Amino acid sequence: MRVNRILLSSSLVVVALVLQVSVLARLHLPGAVPDLLLLTVLGLALVYGHVGGALVGFGAGLLADLAPPADHAAGRYALVLCVIGYLAGLVKPENGRLKSATGPMVVVVVAAIGSTLLYAGVGALVGDTAARHVGLGSLLFTAALYDLLLAPFVVPGIMALARRAENDPLAETNSQAKKPNISSGWLSGGTGLRIGGQRGGLGGLKVKAGRVRTARAGRIKGVKRL
């Protein structure tokens, strides 16, 4: 990933995780908790594609696994967001621009349901049965509802920031300025002549030609006198 992608993704993921843990988790809404981290991963994956989405999802999930008050096995949410980020990146719109709001809303609903099912499935493999006590059906419905209501305020803004970082005019200007001038390099390196000294070189050639002509004229006059 590029440096600007890493910096932007890290900043957005940290902000989303802090808001989710300190604000959204304290609302005590019925059922699931609005997953701001999931929406952040989806917004970045819809611009960066499947590879970038998988990397961002894995990093975001691992950070959520290690951040307090995490009460599950480390790597569990990292696996979930890695898979979700990869799949969301596969439906990346052309040039990262949305033509309608229907597609992203469908992606959000599918991702909310899929992440909940995958999280519960991985939890069942490691012996976590919390989803059974809460009710899987209630978790699926509330997760999809909360994320769908929150998505219009999160996903478009994140995609706009990601596109702006991708099309940074300062980075393009610096990259063009660093490109070497091939013609000047060839003239100075291949012929051994400097471009700035071309005028001086031509002047020296003219002086030499004048001297040769003067010498020839002197010789001709000497022959005639003889």
Side-chain angles (χ1 to χ4, degrees):
M1 295 180 68
R2 301 176 182 175
V3 177
N4 55 349
R5 286 188 178 187
I6 296 175
L7 293 177
L8 178 63
S9 302
S10 302
S11 303
L12 292 176
V13 165
V14 171
V15 172
L17 182 60
V18 170
L19 290 177
Q20 182 167 332
V21 173
S22 60
V23 178
L24 297 179
R26 298 178 182 272
L27 296 178
H28 300 292
L29 297 174
V33 176
D35 201 339
L36 183 60
L37 198 60
L38 173 65
L39 297 178
T40 303
V41 172
L42 291 179
L44 294 173
L46 290 175
V47 177
Y48 295 157
H50 59 283
V51 177
L55 293 175
V56 173
F58 178 80
L62 187 61
L63 186 62
D65 289 332
L66 300 177
D71 56 352
H72 54 270
R76 180 176 171 184
Y77 202 47
L79 174 62
V80 172
L81 287 187
C82 181
V83 174
I84 295 299
Y86 179 85
L87 296 177
L90 294 177
V91 296
K92 167 189 172 183
E94 186 178 358
N95 297 327
R97 298 183 179 275
L98 300 177
K99 296 181 179 179
S100 65
T102 304
M105 293 300 102
V106 173
V107 172
V108 169
V109 173
V110 173
I113 296 175
S115 62
T116 305
L117 289 175
L118 186 58
Y119 186 82
V122 176
L125 293 177
V126 298
D128 185 2
T129 59
R132 297 180 181 177
H133 300 291
V134 177
L136 185 59
S138 175
L139 285 177
L140 293 175
F141 176 77
T142 54
L145 179 62
Y146 296 154
D147 292 347
L148 187 60
L149 293 176
L150 191 61
F153 304 98
V154 178
V155 177
I158 290 178
M159 293 183 67
L161 289 175
R163 288 196 305 267
R164 185 175 181 181
E166 286 290 289
N167 301 323
D168 189 1
L170 295 178
E172 294 178 359
T173 303
N174 293 333
S175 63
Q176 292 178 0
K178 292 180 180 179
K179 290 182 179 180
N181 192 336
I182 300 175
S183 59
S184 62
W186 178 81
L187 289 173
S188 60
T191 61
L193 298 176
R194 296 182 179 178
I195 297 177
Q198 285 183 355
R199 294 181 179 179
L202 292 176
L205 292 177
K206 291 180 180 180
V207 172
K208 290 181 180 180
R211 290 177 181 177
V212 172
R213 292 176 183 175
T214 304
R216 288 181 180 179
R219 291 177 183 177
I220 294 172
K221 290 181 181 180
V223 172
K224 290 182 177 180
R225 291 177 182 178
L226 294 174

